Amino acid sequence: MDVEDLQTFVAVADAGGVSAAARRLGLSKSIVSRRLFRIEAELGVQLLARTTRGAALTEAGITFRDHAARASAEIDTARETILPTGDLRGRLRIAMPLAFGPTHFAPVLAEMAHQHPQLQIHSSYSDRFVDLIAEGFDCAIRVGYLQDSNLIAKRIGPIYGKLVASPDYIKTHGSPETPDEIITHQALMQGTETWQFMDGDRIITVQPQGRFKADNATALAVAAVAGLGIAWIPDCITYDHVASGALVPIMTRYPPPPAGAYVIRPPGQHPTRKIRVLTEMLIEHVARNPEVWGVDR
């Protein structure tokens, strides 16, 4: 049984249909359908029940999906083991945050593609938390404070941030001197989050209030430059704005606790060599640009 057929079946099962799997794999629907037909003909059972909304796994399909996923992973591992050192092939599908990905992580993917011409890299940029397993991603980069989960995380570097405001906002409204004063200011937020600040070893938590919200840190930085309020934003987003004077660090006696950037992958015994190489390149990238990431603190 062809490994590409197995991998295609797993993609269809996880995506919930032929069309979605075809987009994910970068193949035509006819090729995906043909591979599914070959597997079902080989096994002599129906694995997928076609519906108007896509495809649902039959009882046999549910059982076979887990075996097919494990077999595909084992074959990928075997291929990596016998390939010449440094030679990567196959496909790497990765999810990245929209706020950081295109500017801070995409150059690493471009360099990886340049160094490994046989490797296919498919990247997706969004600030939502993707479901790696259900959506068929090999790994993701996540920034912030990790929630508990069964996913495996490898830290690639710290993420420092600061409270900032524009000179015009400070001239008109002043700036908070202590965390307690934040509630008297317009805060630019991603939602209803709390902000944390360090007072020595003590963590102070505040609930900011504001009328302007966005689910993207870059958009919040633009709003802060426009003088709409104060914002807690990572240094790698505000670096150029602070350097130009468009934004000013405020309440610097109470810095936010550092967060982190992580490579996240589904649970398994060992990461593939593709993920290990990507992780190493990201760690090196962060180390080479300490002034942007705030690592030189």
Side-chain angles (χ1 to χ4, degrees):
M1 192 172 294
D2 189 274
V3 66
E4 289 186 342
D5 292 352
L6 291 177
Q7 292 171 335
T8 300
F9 164 69
V10 172
V12 173
D14 292 345
V18 171
S19 297
R23 289 192 298 269
R24 181 179 297 178
L25 296 171
L27 300 172
S28 67
K29 290 193 293 185
S30 61
I31 291 177
V32 172
S33 297
R34 193 156 55 243
R35 290 178 178 178
L36 289 176
F37 177 79
R38 283 200 298 261
I39 290 181
E40 291 181 326
E42 177 74 19
L43 295 173
V45 296
Q46 184 178 4
L47 300 175
L48 291 157
R50 280 72 171 177
T51 68
T52 55
R53 294 185 177 183
L57 291 174
T58 63
E59 184 176 351
I62 293 173
T63 301
F64 188 68
R65 186 264 170 215
D66 292 338
H67 290 286
R70 286 197 296 269
S72 298
E74 289 291 338
I75 291 173
D76 282 343
T77 301
R79 283 176 170 172
E80 288 184 346
T81 301
I82 63 175
L83 285 174
T85 302
D87 189 13
L88 297 179
R89 299 185 184 184
R91 180 172 59 94
L92 176 65
R93 192 161 187 264
I94 179 171
M96 292 190 176
L98 180 61
F100 298 83
T103 52
H104 293 81
F105 298 130
V108 178
L109 291 185
E111 178 60 25
M112 190 177 184
H114 180 73
Q115 292 181 12
H116 304 280
Q118 300 301 316
L119 179 65
Q120 300 178 43
I121 299 178
H122 297 179
S123 54
S124 176
Y125 297 89
S126 173
D127 284 332
R128 70 182 180 86
F129 273 44
V130 300
D131 186 327
L132 298 188
I133 298 174
E135 299 183 46
F137 286 98
D138 298 296
C139 63
I141 295 178
R142 288 186 181 165
V143 174
Y145 305 99
L146 289 185
Q147 304 295 323
D148 290 336
S149 73
N150 65 339
L151 301 175
I152 298 174
K154 173 67 175 178
R155 188 171 183 267
I156 59 176
I159 297 292
Y160 292 97
K162 58 172 63 78
L163 204 62
V164 294
S166 71
D168 287 343
Y169 180 90
I170 295 172
K171 181 179 179 180
T172 304
H173 304 281
S175 63
E177 297 296 329
T178 65
D180 291 342
E181 296 179 13
I182 287 177
I183 60 173
T184 65
H185 288 266
Q186 281 290 321
L188 309 174
M189 303 178 292
Q190 294 199 19
T192 57
E193 73 271 15
T194 58
W195 288 352
Q196 291 186 328
F197 301 92
M198 295 186 296
D199 182 9
D201 295 331
R202 186 168 67 101
I203 298 294
I204 301 174
T205 301
V206 298
Q207 186 78 48
Q209 302 295 322
R211 65 185 180 86
F212 188 94
K213 298 181 180 181
D215 62 356
N216 180 275
T218 303
L220 293 178
V222 172
V225 170
L228 294 180
I230 62 175
W232 180 97
I233 306 176
D235 289 350
C236 51
I237 299 295
T238 62
Y239 177 79
D240 289 337
H241 296 305
V242 171
S244 68
L247 289 176
V248 178
I250 58 177
M251 209 178 75
T252 54
R253 286 181 52 208
Y254 301 90
Y262 303 85
V263 174
I264 307 294
R265 63 180 176 87
Q269 290 187 346
H270 302 287
T272 63
R273 189 149 61 92
K274 293 187 286 287
I275 295 177
R276 292 199 304 271
V277 170
L278 173 63
T279 302
E280 292 166 0
M281 292 181 68
L282 287 167
I283 291 173
E284 182 181 351
H285 173 71
V286 172
R288 283 202 314 263
N289 299 274
E291 72 285 352
V292 175
W293 293 92
V295 178
D296 56 343
R297 299 186 184 189

